[in-house]
Amino acid sequence: MNASLKVPRGRLLGSSGIAISPIAWGMWRFAEDGRSPAEAARLVHAALDAGITLLDTADIYGFNGHGGFGEAESLLGKVLKLEPELRERMVLASKGGITPPLPYNQSASYLASAIDASLRRLNCATIDLYQIHRPDILTHPQEVARTLDDAVAAGKIRTIGASNFTTAQIEALNHFLGHELVATQPEISPLRITCFENGELDQAMRLGLTPFAWSPLGGGALLAPKSARDRAVASQLDQIAKEQGVSRSVAAYGWLMAHPAGIVPIIGSQNTARIAEGAQALTMQWTRQDWYAVLVAARGEELP
Ligand code: NAP
């Protein structure tokens, strides 16, 4: 039996009813290279025109260790000032709760002010998905939940997500939330497969969370593999990519999307052609045999 695995064409954002594209575009690297608002707008258009409607940013993006906190949000805000109609075409996700260089603050007063600051920078009335970027161990989840619920009630954010949380941290935050989590955002790629077996994706399926995969190409490492294991993963993806007439990066996105949790890979490229190319992942057909061959290469050992 070698039937294709089913990959749905559209996705809903958790239980929210908000329709999202099955592949997202991320703006971690958006404010690098002194990009002008007009150049930045071209990247936004490349994503939207390719049918990629979920755009993921964070207040910390742009921070390079010396400053620049908020720059990626501000740049998107400038794009939206130039072309306000783009806001209607996107589902806008952002994140907060990290205060560099000293990390992690989700106290009620800080988190509420961070949400307001993101809205100001983004030039928006509301953020569709607000994610806690990384958990703050020093804030009780009940306090975090109350701040986020208040922000939903005020119309500042529409839905809530968590990134880089353990399964227990997700469970604890969700327990206190009135407006329960709709998304999670761990690192997942053919080079980073811990989620497949540590319960995070099982929990996402059980709770109906949309799992967004950050760094789906290992931050670019999959395109320049160094170790024997990474080269084996790349070579396995290349074989399938060649058969289906796509690139290695598209095969990596497709591999993630074939998982039953409905993983949404976040494309990290800031190159218009590479962003648009990502949408080809929807054309891929995966057999169990091909899918598991990539997993085995990533594990570095046969399955039992
Ligand atoms: P990635 O897709 O794993 O890596 C993208 C990098 O690979 C870019 O520098 C890109 O360069 C490079 N690349 C080289 N060849 C490429 C090719 N053929 N196709 C595509 N990219 C190629 O993703 P990422 O940028 O590390 O992360 C993606 C998104 O995940 C971020 O934007 C952010 O939204 C999210 N993220 C979240 C967290 C978190 O803690 N929640 C952490 C990290 C990232 P070019 O731009 O030149 O194409």
Side-chain angles (χ1 to χ4, degrees), residues 26 28-29 56 61 163-164 185 214-215 217 219 268-270 274:
W28 180 22
R29 304 164 196 271
D56 181 68
Y61 292 169
S163 183
N164 304 299
Q185 190 181 130
W214 66 259
S215 291
L217 305 178
S269 178
Q270 306 297 306
R274 288 173 176 169

Side-chain angles (χ1 to χ4, degrees), residues 150-229:
D150 287 351
V152 174
K156 294 178 180 181
I157 64 177
R158 289 175 76 193
T159 65
I160 301 164
S163 183
N164 304 299
F165 274 45
T166 65
T167 51
Q169 288 164 337
I170 291 224
E171 203 281 324
L173 179 58
N174 227 16
H175 172 77
F176 291 110
L177 277 169
H179 300 275
E180 291 190 358
L181 293 169
V182 299
T184 177
Q185 190 181 130
E187 180 179 5
I188 326 176
S189 78
L191 299 180
R192 175 76 178 218
I193 56 168
T194 44
C195 265
F196 293 122
E197 296 186 44
N198 73 359
E200 286 182 59
L201 289 171
D202 304 287
Q203 180 187 49
M205 289 186 278
R206 187 172 68 76
L207 298 178
L209 310 180
T210 299
F212 291 98
W214 66 259
S215 291
L217 305 178
L222 195 57
L223 284 310
K226 290 194 173 67
S227 69
R229 177 256 187 178

Side-chain angles (χ1 to χ4, degrees), residues 64-77:
N64 57 13
H66 305 289
F69 181 92
E71 276 189 7
E73 284 187 335
S74 293
L75 186 55
L76 183 59

Side-chain angles (χ1 to χ4, degrees), residues 96-98 104-106 131-136 163-165 214:
I98 302 182
Y104 313 165
N105 187 351
Q106 284 136 41
Q131 301 153 104
I132 300 295
H133 205 148
R134 290 181 181 273
D136 170 19
S163 183
N164 304 299
F165 274 45
W214 66 259

Side-chain angles (χ1 to χ4, degrees), residues 48-167:
L48 295 175
D49 295 349
I52 299 168
T53 56
L54 190 301
L55 270 52
D56 181 68
T57 187
D59 58 10
I60 199 176
Y61 292 169
F63 180 74
N64 57 13
H66 305 289
F69 181 92
E71 276 189 7
E73 284 187 335
S74 293
L75 186 55
L76 183 59
K78 287 177 188 159
V79 171
L80 291 174
K81 198 162 194 176
L82 281 176
E83 300 184 58
E85 65 282 3
L86 290 179
R87 179 67 185 89
E88 296 300 309
R89 294 177 61 193
M90 67 179 71
V91 177
L92 178 56
S94 195
K95 314 181 197 77
I98 302 182
T99 52
L102 254 188
Y104 313 165
N105 187 351
Q106 284 136 41
S107 61
S109 59
Y110 174 74
L111 193 57
S113 69
I115 293 171
D116 288 342
S118 284
L119 287 170
R120 273 196 301 277
R121 282 189 293 265
L122 288 163
N123 252 316
C124 286
T126 188
I127 292 167
D128 298 311
L129 171 65
Y130 191 80
Q131 301 153 104
I132 300 295
H133 205 148
R134 290 181 181 273
D136 170 19
I137 291 159
L138 293 179
T139 306
H140 195 294
Q142 188 168 26
E143 182 175 342
V144 180
R146 196 173 304 135
T147 310
L148 292 170
D149 276 335
D150 287 351
V152 174
K156 294 178 180 181
I157 64 177
R158 289 175 76 193
T159 65
I160 301 164
S163 183
N164 304 299
F165 274 45
T166 65
T167 51

Side-chain angles (χ1 to χ4, degrees), residues 25 35 42-43 46-47 267-278:
W25 176 59
R35 200 166 273 121
R42 276 196 283 281
L43 297 178
I267 297 177
S269 178
Q270 306 297 306
N271 169 297
T272 52
R274 288 173 176 169
I275 295 168
E277 183 198 32

